[in-house]
Amino acid sequence: MQFDKPATTNPIDRLKVVGKPIHRIDGELKTTGRAIYAYEWHDPNMRYAYGYPVGSAIAKGHVTSIDSVAANNAPGVLGVVTTLDVGDLQKGKLNTAKLFGGSEIQHYHQAVAVVVAETFEQARAAAHLVQVEYAPEKGRFDLRVELVNAGAPDPSTEPESSAGDFQTAFAAAPVTLDAEYTTPDQSHSMMEPHASIAAWNGDEVTIWTSSQMIDWWRTDLATTLGVDKEKVHLMSPFIGGGFGGKLFLRADAVLAAFAAKSVGRPVKVALPRPMMMNNTTHRPATIQRIRIGAEKDGRITAIAHESWSGDLLGGGPETAVMQTRLLYAGANRMTAMKLAVLDLPEGNAMRAPGEAPGLMALEIAIDEMAETLGMDPIAFRITNDTQVDPENPERPFSQRDLIGCLKLGATKFGWDEREKPATRREGDWMIGIGVAAAFRNNLVMPSGARVKLDRNGVVTVETDMTDIGTGSYTIIAQTAAEMMGVAMDKVAVHLGDSRFPVSAGSGGQFGANSATSGVYAACVKLREAVASKLGFNSADVVFDNGEARSGNRVIALAEAAGEDGLVGEDTMEWGDLTKTHQQSTFGAHFVEVGVDIATGETRIRRMLAVCAAGRILNPITARSQVIGAMTMGAGGALSEELAVDTRHGFFVNHDLAGYEVPVHADIPHQEVIFMDETDPYSSPMKAKGIGELGLCGVSAAIANAIYNATGVRVRHYPITLDKLIGGLPEVA
Amino acid sequence: MRSFSYERATSIEAALQAAARNVDARFIAGGTNLLDLMKLEIEKPSHLIDVNGLGLDTIEKSPEGGLRIGALVRNTDLAADETVRRDYGLLSRALVAGASGQLRNKATTAGNLLQRTRCPYFYDPNQACNKRQPGSGCSAFGGVTRQLGVIGVSEACLATQPSDMAVAMRALDAVVETRGASGAKRSIPIGDFHRLPGDTPHIETELEPGELITGVVLPPPVGGKQIYRKVRDRASYAFALVSVGAVIHPDGSGQVAVGGVAHKPWRVEDAETELSKGARAMSAVLMEGARPTEQNKFKISLVERTLEAVLKEARE
Ligand SMILES: Cc1cc2nc3c(=O)[nH]c(=O)nc-3n(C[C@H](O)[C@H](O)[C@H](O)COP(=O)(O)OP(=O)(O)OC[C@H]3O[C@@H](n4cnc5c(N)ncnc54)[C@H](O)[C@@H]3O)c2cc1C
């Protein structure tokens, strides 16, 4: 099905199942420990062996030799596969750094060997016996130092944009801001580590893994193994979080495949937690410069956003300027990204890539500008709202209710109680509130599904879509139930298997809207199949209550299916509505913090997000996405930073004791409000993404609240106490 | 983790003898620190002697009117003990500021005192560390040091001792009781128990090889306001950037120890005579000779400010 005209009324609009607060259909499996994650897959007929990875001890250079004699002779060891043994491998199309193979070392903890043994403990013990010799080379590890060498990234990333004449307008503006902001490298640090089991059967390999994107992994794994894609079968039914860290093929799958081949047994490989930060990908650090010029009445006349980031050779920039192209009005504007080569681990997508760090900077700048203008920051944002793409004013937004989010949030949160900076006190706590706009583009991806109707009237959906803890199982079941007019308990959903139609996968907040649209398309096919089997005119059949009705004929779906059942399969493809109309999601984040006047410790007191993101397919799973994202934003604002050792080129705090994500005590109170919206331009579901919107702007709202509490403006994340105490008053 | 043999000792003597037989052996109590380090092969004992069955898990009044805490008393039980909560509130507060509920249920008094540093370079076997591998150098020096020590540090080591409990015990003048390999009893004042790194940072305490901690004795209750203030980046489950354990008497005198700054709980008795002049005066003496890095020099003012807050709380 091609979606190239705005949606009109369709069966989803009945909202008998879609849009309802339905608990996760896989929830019970998860809360009772019966959901089978990659590493736990267990077939009693298989004799699994265990692989333990060895990571490079240097950041750049070459492996000159690997002595695995002692490891091979250790108890229980079945074999050792080294990067020199396998030689150069072809890199997956979507990987920047190679995952395994050859002597070159591109970053710290790059995999150099995998040790396979009868038990996990034996493999781990023997892994420490592998002796690797290196010829290290000098690397580039400090973004600040490499700025002078930063150049234009690949044109496909659209590194520059402009409209009007920024320089002249900025020079002429009566009120201006010119400031630098920085965001650090951040780690996905999802709960479930990267893990895979590989089992060969002749020249075919089956991989149980933890992947957000089945087809991307399958394609790149086939490339790296040098086998035909048809010979690779990938399964990833349950995933313990990803945040972008599992978008692209990872070393665990490659190592498991080579190890399994080498020992002739199925092999399990998980990345140990201390290897995850440096072996995989991370959100790259940015240095951002923002300039804004405005009239005294608050109208922005000039706005510029530049961002510098680094990556391995062949990598891309963190696209931190993207939202600035679209969020606020202003006739004269420019954005630019520059990329430096760094020999740190691969930088790549992490939840809301681009917008998350971009808004961390932009939404502080807006707060600062409002203050300079003597305006309320909400009023300043409303003054500069735009209903069209400001770089291409002929392109309207499909829908945009940023103002509604800000206004409703202000009322609910009690924004008018906000006082001047460093005014409000409760005992030793300096109290402040802050706001930031949330913005994230709504992306769509082709997405396929197969829907079967059987003789019991059960509807079974098969798609390679993944559920990374987001609720895909549930919203897909809701979509199929709505389309086929059956109850939720008559729908079964099977996900994450490369034998199923290729879907959007989970990423870029495109998963929910795209994948349910694919199921919609397949259901349309199945409805046609039912109609044609029954001799109904498909245009006027009503599917409801487990039955198909046409005129006064009513036939149960079970009967319609017959002994052989019926199948509908299709892929949703997208026309050019995303080009003619800018599709984005909007929101407003409100945060209240307390800052300890003595120690500068910041503790969040309450958070509110108001989101305008099209139709909310399920308010429970959507809320859970947003509160999770708000929590991630709290970590980003206050504690999360991969600390770079710029001499040796690695992230030093590479475990969960050193990389501090928020704990429960950091998140006392969260509230989420969804605006009642449908966006006919987005899809037949009229839904948009929500999972990343929830993160966009949170950290800046916290930063602005800290400023309001203390009067200390920090432009460098994370906002830890050492950046505040110098500006705090005497304790007594 | 290397393979190791394991035995459950059933008496103090048996535990001491087992340790004397094998220089590579370690005692294991709660295992919450030792096992983590063994998995990373930072600790590589060939033999573990489980001391959980030695009957050292009671809290009793000492003949002097203080409290004798068995080496195997769990952190949770010690923090919840009625006498501790009433007479040694500082200790109870320090304990519950540490780790998490699950860890405190396993962690023991002796194990907590002997927990090793959280320096990230110590934790990464690819990096040079004089503590892990004497003579290999200190890669923290010149590296990422925000969490690390600012006083009593050496060229060889910037690590801190991370225990919250030990800070409270230092302020309370606890004494560590041990039995040596020969069976001989020793009492080591807590101030002498942990060592500064010097050029032997791998030797962290006064314990001799094979020496067993049997308990910790607290002197008779000293009263006063007992406050533990732990400063950290997140609200829970994080080691202290700085912590202050203090007993402040109505006349303004008191005892103060600081955590997160040194290779041992940091206390300078001479500085306490400055207490009546306020936090600035006291911390000037307390932190005299500090050698912070660019990244952790904030700890100097943080100590002063935290102490100020503690003194304010004591006055309230
Ligand atoms: C995630 C995490 C967070 C933590 N956070 C904090 C925190 O915030 N604050 C804090 O203070 N601590 C914290 N800890 C550390 C925790 O307090 C220690 O791990 C615990 O106290 C160690 O006690 P244990 O009994 O488990 O020791 P074990 O691991 O059993 O032993 C530790 C050491 O003591 C030796 N030992 C044990 N008993 C004896 C004995 N009787 N005589 C001689 N030697 C002995 C062992 O040989 C070993 O070398 C944290 C730990 C973890 C894992």
Side-chain angles (χ1 to χ4, degrees):
Chain A
M1 182 180 284
Q2 176 89 1
F3 183 74
D4 48 15
K5 282 189 275 305
T8 51
T9 302
N10 68 45
I12 297 295
D13 295 319
R14 296 187 290 184
L15 297 182
K16 289 188 171 181
V17 197
V18 168
K20 291 275 179 289
I22 295 173
H23 285 282
R24 279 158 205 265
I25 58 174
D26 52 333
E28 192 181 323
L29 288 179
K30 289 184 172 169
T31 52
T32 56
R34 285 178 297 144
I36 310 285
Y37 290 86
Y39 201 77
E40 299 159 349
W41 196 272
H42 189 79
D43 176 341
N45 300 308
M46 284 192 179
R47 283 176 59 226
Y48 295 100
Y50 293 80
Y52 197 88
V54 180
S56 168
I58 65 163
K60 187 169 171 62
H62 283 82
V63 174
T64 52
S65 70
I66 300 182
D67 179 353
S68 43
V69 175
N72 255 313
N73 290 336
V77 171
L78 301 167
V80 179
V81 182
T82 76
T83 193
L84 300 180
D85 298 342
V86 303
D88 288 328
L89 301 174
Q90 192 163 350
K91 192 163 63 64
K93 196 168 62 164
L94 299 171
N95 295 122
T96 304
K98 64 169 185 160
L99 299 173
F100 193 50
S103 67
E104 189 191 358
I105 296 297
Q106 299 166 306
H107 63 87
Y108 196 68
H109 276 174
Q110 195 162 33
V112 294
V114 56
V115 178
V116 192
E118 291 289 349
T119 70
F120 168 79
E121 289 76 12
Q122 289 168 332
R124 181 175 58 187
H128 283 93
L129 299 173
V130 176
Q131 296 290 330
V132 186
E133 300 295 333
Y134 302 93
E137 287 163 26
K138 197 169 154 351
R140 293 150 290 190
F141 307 125
D142 191 334
L143 177 60
R144 185 68 72 179
V145 169
E146 297 304 323
L147 277 190
V148 288
N149 302 320
D154 190 274
S156 67
T157 62
E158 300 176 29
E160 287 181 8
S161 74
S162 66
D165 178 354
F166 169 77
Q167 296 293 353
T168 308
F170 184 69
V175 184
T176 58
L177 165 129
D178 181 353
E180 184 191 280
Y181 305 84
T182 61
T183 62
D185 297 285
Q186 293 181 337
S187 166
H188 308 85
S189 285
M190 73 303 279
M191 194 63 94
E192 182 202 25
H194 304 272
S196 294
I197 304 175
W200 289 87
N201 181 7
D203 62 351
E204 295 183 3
V205 65
T206 300
I207 312 271
W208 290 265
T209 190
S210 188
S211 158
Q212 296 177 227
M213 305 291 293
I214 300 297
D215 196 59
W216 289 3
W217 280 57
R218 186 186 189 205
T219 308
D220 278 352
L221 184 59
T223 303
T224 302
L225 297 180
V227 301
D228 189 26
K229 185 174 165 184
E230 299 310 310
K231 305 283 186 192
V232 178
H233 173 204
L234 216 84
M235 289 174 78
S236 192
F238 294 105
I239 297 133
F243 307 130
K246 296 170 180 170
L247 282 172
F248 313 110
L249 178 68
R250 297 257 58 89
D252 54 303
V254 177
L255 296 175
F258 276 103
K261 185 119 220 172
S262 152
V263 303
R265 296 219 337 229
V267 173
K268 300 188 175 203
V269 176
L271 294 187
R273 181 71 64 179
M275 249 179 95
M276 282 174 56
M277 278 78 167
N278 287 286
N279 176 270
T280 70
T281 61
H282 65 280
R283 187 201 300 285
T286 64
I287 297 174
Q288 303 180 42
R289 180 185 184 196
I290 296 179
R291 281 172 289 171
I292 304 177
E295 297 292 343
K296 292 212 166 87
D297 64 3
R299 274 177 306 119
I300 294 175
T301 52
I303 182 163
H305 193 162
E306 294 157 275
S307 172
W308 290 260
S309 60
D311 202 358
L312 290 164
L313 201 62
E318 177 66 28
T319 56
V321 305
M322 290 306 188
Q323 72 290 321
T324 308
R325 297 177 181 174
L326 292 161
L327 189 47
Y328 297 113
N332 303 290
R333 42 207 307 132
M334 73 85 119
T335 67
M337 297 183 280
K338 290 270 167 50
L339 180 64
V341 175
L342 289 181
D343 299 301
L344 290 171
E346 174 177 334
N348 217 319
M350 179 169 147
R351 199 175 197 171
E355 278 99 332
L359 285 163
M360 286 167 87
L362 178 64
E363 287 299 287
I364 296 184
I366 292 291
D367 201 64
E368 294 194 60
M369 196 62 194
E371 184 177 44
T372 310
L373 285 159
M375 275 178 91
D376 180 278
I378 292 180
F380 181 50
R381 287 180 173 91
I382 291 174
T383 300
N384 290 291
D385 188 54
T386 172
Q387 292 295 318
V388 296
D389 169 353
E391 287 182 356
N392 305 286
E394 70 287 356
R395 266 181 92 225
F397 282 94
S398 63
Q399 204 159 49
R400 170 170 168 134
D401 196 11
L402 175 62
I403 294 179
C405 294
L406 287 163
K407 285 187 167 166
L408 180 62
T411 308
K412 295 279 179 193
F413 199 72
W415 179 254
D416 54 5
E417 286 159 29
R418 179 166 171 268
E419 296 179 36
K420 284 202 172 53
T423 309
R424 212 175 128 198
R425 283 280 293 274
E426 281 179 28
D428 291 337
W429 291 102
M430 309 178 79
I431 312 295
I433 58 179
V435 67
F439 174 91
R440 169 73 173 142
N441 278 334
N442 182 59
L443 311 174
V444 284
M445 295 272 278
S447 198
R450 181 156 61 223
V451 186
K452 299 173 177 170
L453 175 65
D454 74 8
R455 59 180 176 188
N456 299 313
V458 171
V459 174
T460 300
V461 184
E462 295 176 343
T463 161
D464 85 351
M465 179 60 189
T466 50
D467 187 326
I468 64 172
T470 43
S472 309
Y473 276 105
T474 311
I475 57 170
I476 283 173
Q478 286 174 270
T479 304
E482 194 78 78
M483 287 299 287
M484 300 313 298
V486 300
M488 282 291 279
D489 63 2
K490 287 281 191 243
V491 183
V493 180
H494 298 301
L495 300 181
D497 189 320
S498 62
R499 291 171 298 193
F500 300 154
V502 174
S503 74
S506 300
Q509 81 168 6
F510 50 64
N513 181 43
S514 304
T516 53
S517 295
V519 174
Y520 172 96
C523 286
V524 168
K525 281 274 166 63
L526 180 58
R527 289 163 60 110
E528 285 165 6
V530 171
S532 113
K533 174 118 183 259
L534 298 176
F536 289 175
N537 175 2
S538 64
D540 54 41
V541 192
V542 174
F543 289 78
D544 194 15
N545 203 21
E547 296 161 343
R549 289 201 301 268
S550 179
N552 48 16
R553 286 185 64 198
V554 179
I555 313 258
L557 289 182
E559 189 186 330
E563 274 309 299
D564 298 337
L566 291 168
V567 184
E569 180 171 338
D570 202 0
T571 295
M572 181 60 81
E573 317 263 8
W574 307 94
D576 62 0
L577 289 177
T578 53
K579 297 201 181 65
T580 58
H581 290 74
Q582 176 56 40
Q583 296 187 24
S584 306
T585 59
F586 299 88
H589 287 287
F590 292 81
V591 177
E592 180 178 305
V593 301
V595 179
D596 188 289
I597 194 167
T599 63
E601 289 164 294
T602 298
R603 300 290 178 247
I604 290 172
R605 292 156 58 105
R606 57 192 181 103
M607 308 175 86
L608 165 70
V610 185
C611 304
R615 172 175 282 153
I616 299 304
L617 300 171
N618 179 331
I620 295 181
T621 54
R623 176 179 186 276
S624 140
Q625 280 300 292
V626 177
I627 62 172
M630 290 156 83
T631 305
M632 189 175 260
L638 298 176
S639 59
E640 292 185 40
E641 170 176 23
L642 286 167
V644 184
D645 185 314
T646 54
R647 306 159 306 166
H648 305 313
F650 73 110
F651 300 130
V652 172
N653 49 341
H654 52 72
D655 60 29
L656 289 179
Y659 186 82
E660 292 189 13
V661 299
V663 295
H664 282 89
D666 292 307
I667 311 291
H669 182 86
Q670 294 179 317
E671 217 178 313
V672 181
I673 299 171
F674 295 112
M675 302 297 270
D676 190 8
E677 271 193 1
T678 49
D679 189 340
Y681 290 88
S682 70
S683 74
M685 305 302 294
K686 303 172 186 169
K688 293 194 274 200
I690 189 82
E692 299 189 330
L693 177 68
L695 170 61
C696 293
V698 178
S699 301
I702 295 168
N704 296 338
I706 292 173
Y707 175 72
N708 182 239
T710 62
V712 182
R713 184 64 82 179
V714 180
R715 300 186 183 88
H716 306 283
Y717 293 96
I719 307 175
T720 44
L721 57 89
D722 41 306
K723 297 172 189 166
L724 290 171
I725 48 173
L728 297 183
E730 297 283 312
V731 181
Chain B
M1 184 186 269
R2 299 207 178 158
S3 60
F4 55 89
S5 51
Y6 168 87
E7 74 176 279
R8 270 194 197 121
T10 50
S11 70
I12 292 176
E13 289 68 29
L16 291 171
Q17 280 160 18
R21 272 196 301 273
N22 185 343
V23 287
D24 263 356
R26 289 275 193 294
F27 299 121
I28 180 164
T32 60
N33 192 221
L34 182 59
L35 290 176
D36 279 1
L37 294 170
M38 286 170 66
K39 288 174 189 167
L40 296 165
E41 296 205 1
I42 294 165
E43 298 265 17
K44 296 174 249 192
S46 60
H47 185 65
L48 289 186
I49 305 158
D50 188 329
V51 293
N52 286 285
L54 302 187
L56 295 173
D57 52 359
T58 56
I59 305 173
E60 292 157 5
K61 286 252 151 35
S62 74
E64 297 76 27
L67 209 60
R68 187 172 191 290
I69 302 158
L72 273 294
V73 173
R74 307 284 155 183
N75 287 178
T76 297
D77 297 332
L78 185 57
D81 182 83
E82 205 182 306
T83 312
V84 173
R85 289 179 51 155
R86 189 185 58 230
D87 296 336
Y88 306 96
L90 171 56
L91 178 57
S92 185
R93 291 181 185 110
L95 281 162
V96 297
S100 66
Q102 293 92 327
L103 283 158
R104 294 194 297 270
N105 289 342
K106 287 297 282 180
T108 64
T109 308
N112 193 323
L113 274 181
L114 293 174
Q115 66 173 290
R116 305 197 66 190
T117 185
R118 293 281 162 172
C119 174
Y121 293 93
F122 172 73
Y123 266 85
D124 187 335
N126 292 326
Q127 305 303 319
C129 173
N130 289 319
K131 207 179 248 313
R132 205 171 355 87
Q133 212 170 9
S136 63
C138 171
S139 45
F141 210 87
V144 176
T145 55
R146 180 170 178 267
Q147 300 267 351
L148 304 184
V150 294
I151 193 158
V153 295
S154 71
E155 308 274 285
C157 185
L158 299 176
T160 59
Q161 211 289 338
S163 166
D164 291 297
M165 182 193 80
V167 175
M169 287 183 169
R170 180 70 179 93
L172 291 169
D173 290 313
V175 173
V176 182
E177 293 192 339
T178 71
R179 297 277 299 273
S182 63
K185 293 188 179 173
R186 271 218 287 173
S187 294
I188 311 169
I190 183 99
D192 300 335
F193 183 77
H194 294 104
R195 296 168 48 128
L196 289 180
D199 45 20
T200 54
H202 59 290
I203 304 173
E204 294 169 348
T205 68
E206 283 301 306
L207 291 184
E208 299 287 338
E211 192 168 356
L212 178 77
I213 298 180
T214 51
V216 174
V217 175
L218 298 178
V222 291
K225 284 240 182 159
Q226 304 203 357
I227 297 167
Y228 190 72
R229 185 65 195 273
K230 180 173 180 178
V231 183
R232 43 188 160 175
D233 288 325
R234 62 181 173 194
S236 169
Y237 208 40
F239 290 93
L241 289 167
V242 155
S243 71
V244 172
V247 179
I248 307 293
H249 299 292
D251 65 359
S253 69
Q255 296 126 261
V256 177
V258 177
V261 297
H263 205 251
K264 59 191 296 185
W266 193 252
R267 180 173 172 194
V268 177
E269 272 83 348
D270 282 349
E272 288 162 9
T273 58
E274 304 291 307
L275 250 184
S276 56
K277 294 185 206 149
R280 177 160 300 170
M282 163 148 187
S283 62
V285 182
L286 180 69
M287 301 306 283
E288 199 178 312
R291 280 167 56 201
T293 66
E294 194 53 36
Q295 288 176 20
N296 67 19
K297 62 173 194 249
F298 72 92
K299 288 191 176 188
I300 308 293
S301 60
L302 189 57
V303 166
E304 184 190 313
R305 296 183 72 95
T306 310
L307 181 60
E308 186 79 63
V310 165
L311 295 180
K312 180 164 172 259
E313 187 182 336
R315 287 193 299 270
E316 277 162 5

